[in-house]
Amino acid sequence: MTIRLGLVGLGKIARDQHLPAIAATNGIELAAIASRNAGLPDLPHFHDIDALLASGTAIDAVSLCTPPQGRFEQARAALLAGKHLMLEKPPGMSVAEVEALGRLAEDRGLTIFTTWHSRAAAGVEPARALLSGKTIRSVRIEWKEDVRHWHPGQQWIWEPGGLGVFDPGINALSIVTRILPEAMHLTGATLEFPENRAAPIAAELAFSTDSGIPVAASFDFRQTGPQTWDIVVVTDEGTLKLSLGGSRLSVDGVERMAEEDREYRTLYGHFVSLVANGRSDFDLAPLVHVADAFLLGRRKVTDAFHD
Amino acid sequence: MTIRLGLVGLGKIARDQHLPAIAATNGIELAAIASRNAGLPDLPHFHDIDALLASGTAIDAVSLCTPPQGRFEQARAALLAGKHLMLEKPPGMSVAEVEALGRLAEDRGLTIFTTWHSRAAAGVEPARALLSGKTIRSVRIEWKEDVRHWHPGQQWIWEPGGLGVFDPGINALSIVTRILPEAMHLTGATLEFPENRAAPIAAELAFSTDSGIPVAASFDFRQTGPQTWDIVVVTDEGTLKLSLGGSRLSVDGVERMAEEDREYRTLYGHFVSLVANGRSDFDLAPLVHVADAFLLGRRKVTDAFHD
């Protein structure tokens, strides 16, 4: 049975990633669009999810690609209408609201998938396998990109709930929480807020794993020139490096893996499998770490940011 | 069997509440103190928990009354030494670190009790019973106190992890999350930070329960004169009011309950029962709501605060 999907939100991430991934994935097909601004040729189009659900258009599942602010009500409406649910990252604008969605999906026997697309990067599962059983000494994350290039005109990212530099940074946290053999918790943080913005533009974070391994992270939204999305794990048996957001993997400088990006195709394939098996994939750990960073982080005000 | 307790941290809350409550509770007795600054007559005294644990002094459990910053390492040391654990509120300075303690206690078969003393206020369980099955229309929390009176010279409260006005405010959240028949999540918040402090002095919060009931909260640390710790729940069958931090309960203005404070005796009695039955009481919901408020809250800078 092919899953008939309603896609909600037709912005940059939907066009760049979701549409081609859905088209390339067996077992799922695009059946309707809900977007305030745009539709697609030959597809039913609605102003918002409520209109889509009220229309009687036959869909089995909803994929939400809207900004995190306001996504809760859309997600709740989808679940209450009996639709399986796939959430872009971050899965919501607060920990408690996503927990509420998890309870609702479970109560209704529906699939909920809190996607973390970077976990589907080619190097991540091989890195996880390589680190299993190793003695890890330290972890260093550097996640620095140019917000003007990657988030042109996306004002929501600077609003409360938009996460600022944690919008990319949470991708790094989603990888690290997947590849390390134990959980971690924040021990200290500094967040830099532009004087005219409600979300941070840079952050320095220090974590410790359950057994005390230090994990340091630097996030920055002001990186021009070459972009940096690196995670370096020092072990007793060599240094593992994930670069380009997890798509490249090397050990002691020798490349082990460099594949083309298939992240979103992997996500949709996984979603098809989850629905077929009546299961969910629900993990809030990256969002909990971000909430902890806001909770525990020392705030510094820095220069105004203008798009 | 009487639990031999090591008390760690001998500050204001320990002296005001923990010592008399322990003395008044059957099944538990104070066996040692760990405190940088002070001891008690006729009791073994150590500089810190590591010295206490290394001393071989016979204790079965540890109660942590230190500030939340730094409590994780103390808690972890207690659990690794095989001691049951009771944590003052908030149970830690981040969500993830307390989750780590929960996992460790479970792995070791030890009791962990994340106390929320306001939940033990006399009116709370009667309020919970009264609200069960009622149609609730709205909830209003007002939690306003004079920080200079209640937290004299406690600089930790203004540091990252000290929570500022959420240190009392989390008490209100611990009550509301206990008395309401369903969970809630934050929908918006404003936090006021004094220009010279790292923690908020006031906050306005808006929550929604799973079914959409609005819950509003005002926290303020600048209240002189009469102090306010009120929760008002409007239902179809009357208005319930918890006041004085949960110790008084009235319905439509008629007093139902006004008992002397027994909060900490209730906590220690519960801890004795948990240990005897090999169980834990582990709930992070109030801390998750505070983390969400820092994550989602719009920050405003306000006048400097001086003790």
Side-chain angles (χ1 to χ4, degrees):
Chain A
M1 192 203 75
T2 296
I3 298 168
R4 295 161 299 184
L5 182 73
L7 188 74
V8 180
L10 197 59
K12 181 169 166 55
I13 194 71
R15 291 175 184 276
D16 289 356
Q17 299 289 352
H18 288 254
L19 294 180
I22 294 163
T25 304
N26 290 326
I28 193 163
E29 65 180 22
L30 197 53
I33 296 281
S35 165
R36 275 176 303 181
N37 305 313
L40 289 177
D42 306 321
L43 264 188
H45 170 243
F46 302 91
H47 181 263
D48 55 32
I49 189 172
D50 294 325
L52 164 56
L53 294 171
S55 72
T57 304
I59 58 170
D60 309 296
V62 166
S63 181
L64 289 184
C65 312
T66 46
Q69 302 100 328
R71 199 183 290 157
F72 173 79
E73 292 299 340
Q74 300 164 344
R76 185 166 185 270
L79 292 170
L80 288 176
K83 311 305 177 191
H84 303 293
L85 182 62
M86 179 162 154
L87 296 165
E88 242 305 341
K89 52 87 2 188
M93 63 177 187
S94 73
V95 174
E97 75 172 35
V98 189
E99 289 177 339
L101 296 176
R103 286 192 301 271
L104 184 56
E106 191 174 2
D107 289 349
R108 305 267 166 155
L110 296 165
T111 293
I112 184 168
F113 181 18
T114 56
T115 70
W116 301 104
H117 66 80
S118 290
R119 284 186 180 172
V124 172
E125 288 307 314
R128 175 179 164 91
L130 277 170
L131 291 175
S132 171
K134 296 279 195 306
T135 300
I136 298 172
R137 294 297 170 186
S138 66
V139 183
R140 171 90 204 142
I141 302 167
E142 236 180 307
W143 221 256
K144 299 181 177 176
E145 63 178 50
D146 182 354
V147 62
R148 290 186 179 86
H149 180 78
W150 298 101
H151 298 279
Q154 293 181 2
Q155 293 309 311
W156 61 266
I157 213 166
W158 295 109
E159 288 301 302
L163 300 187
V165 76
F166 285 90
D167 180 75
I170 203 170
N171 297 336
L173 297 176
S174 76
I175 293 175
V176 167
T177 51
R178 177 71 189 160
I179 64 175
L180 292 185
E182 54 181 17
M184 65 185 195
H185 60 270
L186 194 72
T187 57
T190 304
L191 311 186
E192 287 185 63
F193 285 71
E195 62 182 25
N196 62 336
R197 300 290 181 170
I201 197 164
E204 293 289 327
L205 311 169
F207 298 89
S208 172
T209 68
D210 282 358
S211 72
I213 302 162
V215 178
S218 296
F219 299 159
D220 206 313
F221 244 167
R222 298 165 298 195
Q223 175 112 327
T224 53
Q227 307 282 285
T228 311
W229 300 286
D230 291 348
I231 297 171
V232 175
V233 184
V234 178
T235 81
D236 274 7
E237 298 165 61
T239 295
L240 179 151
K241 181 173 182 179
L242 278 167
S243 50
L244 290 177
S247 60
R248 289 200 183 185
L249 173 64
S250 67
V251 178
D252 290 334
V254 180
E255 193 154 89
R256 294 289 185 95
M257 168 87 52
E259 283 190 10
E260 60 161 340
D261 169 24
R262 294 175 48 90
E263 292 180 17
Y264 281 79
R265 275 173 282 175
T266 303
L267 295 185
Y268 275 98
H270 185 46
F271 185 56
V272 168
S273 160
L274 289 171
V275 171
N277 294 294
R279 299 186 58 191
S280 285
D281 186 337
F282 187 79
D283 181 12
L284 300 194
L287 186 60
V288 167
H289 290 310
V290 173
D292 279 346
F294 279 73
L295 176 65
L296 193 53
R298 191 176 287 277
R299 276 147 244 292
K300 284 173 57 180
V301 175
T302 187
D303 296 344
F305 174 81
H306 301 286
D307 264 321
Chain B
M1 191 202 76
T2 295
I3 298 168
R4 294 161 298 182
L5 182 73
L7 188 73
V8 180
L10 197 58
K12 180 169 167 55
I13 194 70
R15 291 176 184 274
D16 289 356
Q17 298 288 352
H18 287 255
L19 294 180
I22 294 163
T25 304
N26 291 325
I28 193 164
E29 65 180 22
L30 197 54
I33 297 281
S35 165
R36 274 175 302 180
N37 305 311
L40 289 177
D42 306 322
L43 264 187
H45 171 242
F46 303 90
H47 181 263
D48 55 32
I49 188 171
D50 294 325
L52 164 57
L53 294 170
S55 72
T57 304
I59 58 170
D60 309 297
V62 166
S63 181
L64 289 184
C65 311
T66 46
Q69 302 99 329
R71 198 183 290 155
F72 173 80
E73 293 300 340
Q74 299 164 344
R76 184 166 185 270
L79 292 170
L80 288 176
K83 311 305 177 190
H84 303 293
L85 182 63
M86 180 162 155
L87 296 165
E88 243 307 341
K89 50 89 2 187
M93 64 177 188
S94 74
V95 174
E97 75 171 35
V98 189
E99 289 177 341
L101 296 176
R103 286 192 301 272
L104 184 56
E106 193 175 0
D107 288 350
R108 304 266 165 154
L110 295 165
T111 292
I112 185 169
F113 180 18
T114 56
T115 70
W116 301 103
H117 66 80
S118 291
R119 285 186 178 171
V124 171
E125 288 307 314
R128 174 178 165 90
L130 276 168
L131 290 174
S132 170
K134 295 280 192 307
T135 302
I136 298 172
R137 294 298 169 184
S138 66
V139 182
R140 170 90 203 142
I141 303 166
E142 238 180 303
W143 221 256
K144 298 180 177 177
E145 64 178 50
D146 182 353
V147 63
R148 290 186 178 87
H149 180 79
W150 298 101
H151 299 279
Q154 294 181 1
Q155 293 309 311
W156 62 265
I157 212 166
W158 296 109
E159 289 301 301
L163 299 188
V165 75
F166 285 89
D167 180 75
I170 204 171
N171 296 337
L173 298 175
S174 76
I175 293 176
V176 167
T177 50
R178 177 72 189 160
I179 64 174
L180 292 184
E182 54 182 17
M184 65 184 195
H185 58 271
L186 194 72
T187 57
T190 305
L191 311 186
E192 287 185 63
F193 285 71
E195 63 182 25
N196 62 336
R197 300 290 181 171
I201 197 165
E204 293 288 327
L205 312 168
F207 298 89
S208 173
T209 68
D210 283 358
S211 73
I213 302 162
V215 178
S218 296
F219 299 158
D220 206 313
F221 244 167
R222 299 165 298 195
Q223 175 110 326
T224 53
Q227 306 283 285
T228 310
W229 301 287
D230 291 348
I231 298 171
V232 174
V233 184
V234 178
T235 81
D236 275 6
E237 299 164 61
T239 296
L240 179 151
K241 182 173 182 179
L242 278 167
S243 49
L244 289 176
S247 60
R248 289 198 182 185
L249 173 63
S250 67
V251 178
D252 290 336
V254 180
E255 194 155 88
R256 295 287 186 94
M257 168 87 52
E259 283 189 11
E260 61 161 339
D261 169 24
R262 294 176 49 90
E263 292 180 16
Y264 281 79
R265 275 174 282 174
T266 303
L267 295 184
Y268 275 99
H270 186 46
F271 186 56
V272 169
S273 161
L274 288 170
V275 171
N277 293 295
R279 299 186 60 192
S280 284
D281 186 338
F282 186 78
D283 181 13
L284 300 194
L287 186 60
V288 166
H289 290 310
V290 173
D292 279 346
F294 278 74
L295 176 64
L296 194 52
R298 192 175 287 277
R299 276 147 244 289
K300 284 172 60 179
V301 176
T302 188
D303 297 343
F305 174 81
H306 302 285
D307 265 320

